[in-house]
Amino acid sequence: MRGATHAQWAACAVAVTLAATACGGGSDSGGGGEAGIISSSWGDPQNPLEPANTNEVQGGKVLDMLFRGLKRYDPETGEAKNMLAESIETTDSRNFTITLKDGWKFSNDEPVTAQSFVDAWNYGADVRNKQNNAPFFSDIVGYDDVHPASGEPRAKTMSGLVVKDPKTFTVALKDTFSTWPETLGYQAFSPLPKSFFTDHSGWLDKPVGNGPYTVDSYSKGTAMKLRKWDAYPGEDKAQNGGVDLKVYTDNNTAYTDLISGNLDLVDDVPAQQLKNVKNDLGDRYINQPALIIQTLTFPLYDPQWSEPGMEKVRQGISRAINRDEITKQIFRETRTPAKDWTSPALGEKGGFSATVCGDACVYDPAEAKKLIQEGGGLPGGKVTLTSNVDTGSHRDWMDAVCNSVNNALGEGPVCTVNPVGTFADFRNQQSSYKLTGPFRSGWQADYPLIQNFLQPLYYTGASSNYGKFSNKQFDDLVDQANRESDPAKAIAGFQESEKILAEQMPSIPLWYQNGSAGYSERLEDVALNQFSVPVYDRIKVI
């Protein structure tokens, strides 16, 4: 992490919305539309679609269709398998030699070389380029020279990256990181063509990648049209003619369009429709575990939430939330009450723990009231929850959480809701540290490792640490876990760091979120990967 190994890791999810955010309406491709083209709900990305700058789900969904990296996560198992990498070799888990496979190219016919990766990673790390995912490169020797904490960079490239020949480059890390190769399926590590650097604005208007799809057109706020790249050299060629991603600002509208035949795929079934979805769609409804957790994060940059003793107040609020009732009544089998800060989809061997949060995640109104009083009471006698409300049924659960807190404390409406109209506005407030009460912090993993649920969110200075939690013991435990050469010992180390979260409660684990989707009769072979994203290239149009 920072200084020692890999500190501020941004995340795809990041900051996750997990749901489409966008403008509704009819369709120009979808039921009865262009042959072989899938129409799917979508939300406009917060940032331009640069691999090192996209750290939220909607943008990541597109990058997953446009790019292939050194590794790719198996859609069914989550295993990190070699994609463009022929081999990634090391003798010390610190110095790596990466060899590329033959035959890969970008959709503009430019070959993908070792330089394509090294240039992309150096660009992503350079502080002047202001890339959200820059911290993903912080493990590499020379990162601090191109991304100093302040001032101008002392170098243009990271000294730890060296191109040996067109197919080979080496990577030197600052410290041992045994699972570093497993992170390389994340989109921040994608290669970039020369056109990205020679005509950056043109590339942003119409990104060029090396994945199974190309961008046909993009109208911000309305739609993006992607089309199958017939010359794609990979084995995972698109089984359809393309995907029209349609922007919706209300996923209830998207669901209505699906049912009426104006849309083919909705990858986040709204809570209001869960009582109808099985009757509406039958076996065309998907509901499966995913690497997703929803939390409430406290703004610890605000002194009223971070002064000594307030950890009891934070724990008390957690104990005032009736997770069982909320998940049953609102989410109907698509959410499971959280018991840790990761996801059951990791499995116990992967680091999931059903006990680490302990009583702090158990509903107990009397104990909740006692803890809050012992901690000095709610700041100003009240608490306000904030989330975007354009997708994900967030208003419903926020109201339910506040009702649960108010009933537990018995002091009237001390818990209130601050609904933010759009995800982009919410993210802007969150990332500029303007929120003064607990806020939603859904997290969709970038890669299936316990480290990704902890380090990006709670390590001091981590780029998705929007509550600005800082705890030296936590940081030290994470650093030690990252240096372990034995994966089992590394996982145990991360679980030790998680105990600090249970003591300090910088965020409240709410529930684990399943991936959900519904699709039209035009489609077959529809599936979600472990991150709850449709595996678009496998979908067939009947």
Side-chain angles (χ1 to χ4, degrees):
M1 298 286 27
R2 180 179 212 127
T5 56
H6 17 300
Q8 344 162 315
W9 287 40
C12 129
V14 96
V16 152
T17 88
L18 309 176
T21 62
C23 85
S27 149
D28 61 359
S29 73
E34 188 177 345
I37 305 299
I38 302 162
S39 60
S40 181
S41 61
W42 188 46
D44 257 335
Q46 183 191 18
N47 300 302
L49 290 170
E50 301 168 288
N53 202 32
T54 297
N55 66 348
E56 42 76 33
V57 175
Q58 302 306 326
K61 193 181 298 183
V62 176
L63 294 182
D64 191 53
M65 290 190 271
L66 294 182
F67 284 95
R68 291 294 181 263
L70 295 169
K71 285 184 174 284
R72 181 164 176 77
Y73 301 115
D74 185 284
E76 296 173 1
T77 67
E79 179 186 355
K81 296 182 176 179
N82 282 355
M83 195 68 187
L84 270 70
E86 180 68 41
S87 63
I88 302 175
E89 299 176 336
T90 183
T91 58
D92 59 4
S93 295
R94 186 171 181 177
N95 295 282
F96 297 84
T97 298
I98 298 173
T99 304
L100 303 182
K101 295 177 180 176
D102 290 322
W104 279 90
K105 62 181 181 178
F106 295 98
S107 60
N108 62 1
D109 282 335
E110 178 187 328
V112 179
T113 66
Q115 198 70 52
S116 307
F117 283 95
V118 169
D119 287 346
W121 295 8
N122 277 320
Y123 178 89
D126 194 323
V127 68
R128 295 169 298 184
N129 297 325
K130 300 178 180 179
Q131 299 290 284
N132 283 319
N133 289 336
F136 277 91
F137 307 104
S138 63
D139 307 288
I140 299 172
V141 171
Y143 175 81
D144 295 335
D145 292 328
V146 301
H147 200 109
S150 61
E152 289 296 306
R154 297 180 291 275
K156 294 182 179 180
T157 60
M158 291 181 284
S159 58
L161 296 179
V162 179
V163 174
K164 295 297 186 180
D165 59 51
K167 288 180 55 181
T168 311
F169 67 105
T170 59
V171 184
L173 303 184
K174 300 173 186 175
D175 211 331
T176 304
F177 186 7
S178 61
T179 56
W180 180 75
E182 310 305 303
T183 71
L184 297 178
Y186 182 47
Q187 294 144 349
F189 295 102
S190 298
L192 287 170
K194 293 177 182 176
S195 60
F196 177 88
F197 305 98
T198 58
D199 182 14
H200 191 223
S201 61
W203 191 95
L204 291 178
D205 288 339
K206 197 170 184 179
V208 172
N210 66 323
Y213 294 92
T214 62
V215 175
D216 181 67
S217 65
Y218 176 34
S219 177
K220 186 167 180 59
T222 302
M224 174 178 283
K225 295 186 177 184
L226 299 109
R227 294 297 177 261
K228 176 182 179 180
W229 177 25
D230 291 328
Y232 172 65
E235 295 182 358
D236 54 333
K237 296 180 184 294
Q239 300 300 303
N240 49 72
V243 181
D244 285 354
L245 296 172
K246 300 183 56 184
V247 175
Y248 285 82
T249 54
D250 183 349
N251 57 353
N252 283 288
T253 305
Y255 185 83
T256 300
D257 276 356
L258 171 66
I259 299 304
S260 62
N262 292 321
L263 190 68
D264 290 320
L265 177 60
V266 171
D267 65 352
D268 181 30
V269 176
Q272 295 92 323
Q273 304 297 338
L274 292 175
K275 62 181 180 297
N276 306 315
V277 67
K278 291 183 180 178
N279 288 332
D280 289 341
L281 299 175
D283 59 7
R284 290 181 287 113
Y285 167 55
I286 300 172
N287 176 31
Q288 67 185 47
L291 291 164
I292 304 170
I293 185 172
Q294 294 283 342
T295 64
L296 275 176
T297 293
F298 290 94
L300 301 182
Y301 49 83
D302 187 330
Q304 65 179 352
W305 283 108
S306 59
E307 60 187 28
M310 286 302 291
E311 67 276 4
K312 287 190 174 183
V313 175
R314 300 192 293 267
Q315 291 171 349
I317 295 173
S318 177
R319 301 214 65 176
I321 299 172
N322 192 336
R323 296 166 178 79
D324 288 329
E325 182 178 9
I326 293 171
T327 53
K328 288 176 183 176
Q329 293 193 2
I330 295 179
F331 293 116
R332 295 173 179 261
E333 301 178 353
T334 64
R335 308 288 191 277
T336 306
K339 298 178 180 179
D340 79 339
W341 282 262
T342 70
S343 165
L346 284 176
E348 290 186 4
K349 289 184 178 180
F352 166 69
S353 170
T355 60
V356 68
C357 191
D359 289 343
C361 285
V362 176
Y363 177 59
D364 187 330
E367 187 64 20
K369 189 169 185 177
K370 178 183 175 184
L371 282 167
I372 290 173
Q373 290 173 342
E374 289 177 354
L378 298 174
K382 61 182 181 179
V383 59
T384 300
L385 313 184
T386 299
S387 171
N388 61 300
V389 292
D390 48 354
T391 61
S393 306
H394 299 313
R395 181 61 192 257
D396 293 341
W397 70 254
M398 282 200 300
D399 284 339
V401 166
C402 269
N403 287 338
S404 186
V405 171
N406 289 333
N407 289 338
L409 299 185
E411 298 173 0
V414 295
C415 180
T416 57
V417 170
N418 172 33
V420 179
T422 66
F423 172 64
D425 188 15
F426 168 66
R427 282 282 286 141
N428 288 335
Q429 292 184 44
Q430 179 192 55
S431 57
S432 59
Y433 309 103
K434 293 181 178 178
L435 300 173
T436 58
F439 51 88
R440 182 181 68 84
S441 293
W443 185 257
Q444 179 183 33
D446 306 311
Y447 41 84
L449 296 175
I450 181 177
Q451 178 247 28
N452 190 241
F453 281 92
L454 303 176
Q455 183 167 333
L457 296 167
Y458 305 109
Y459 194 95
T460 300
S463 57
S464 291
N465 185 352
Y466 293 113
K468 292 201 172 183
F469 174 66
S470 180
N471 182 282
K472 186 178 185 302
Q473 186 180 1
F474 176 87
D475 293 351
D476 289 345
L477 287 167
V478 168
D479 287 342
Q480 292 168 21
N482 280 322
R483 286 193 291 265
E484 288 287 353
S485 58
D486 182 342
K489 290 182 179 178
I491 289 169
F494 285 118
Q495 289 180 315
E496 283 298 309
S497 74
E498 204 175 355
K499 293 178 182 178
I500 306 297
L501 303 184
E503 295 170 3
Q504 295 297 314
M505 198 64 68
S507 73
I508 294 174
L510 293 174
W511 34 78
Y512 310 116
Q513 179 169 327
N514 281 11
S516 68
Y519 58 97
S520 74
E521 295 176 346
R522 297 179 70 233
L523 307 184
E524 63 180 15
D525 294 340
V526 180
L528 302 178
N529 62 21
Q530 283 201 330
F531 308 102
S532 84
V533 175
V535 188
Y536 286 104
D537 56 85
R538 294 187 179 184
I539 300 174
K540 296 176 182 176
V541 180
I542 303 172

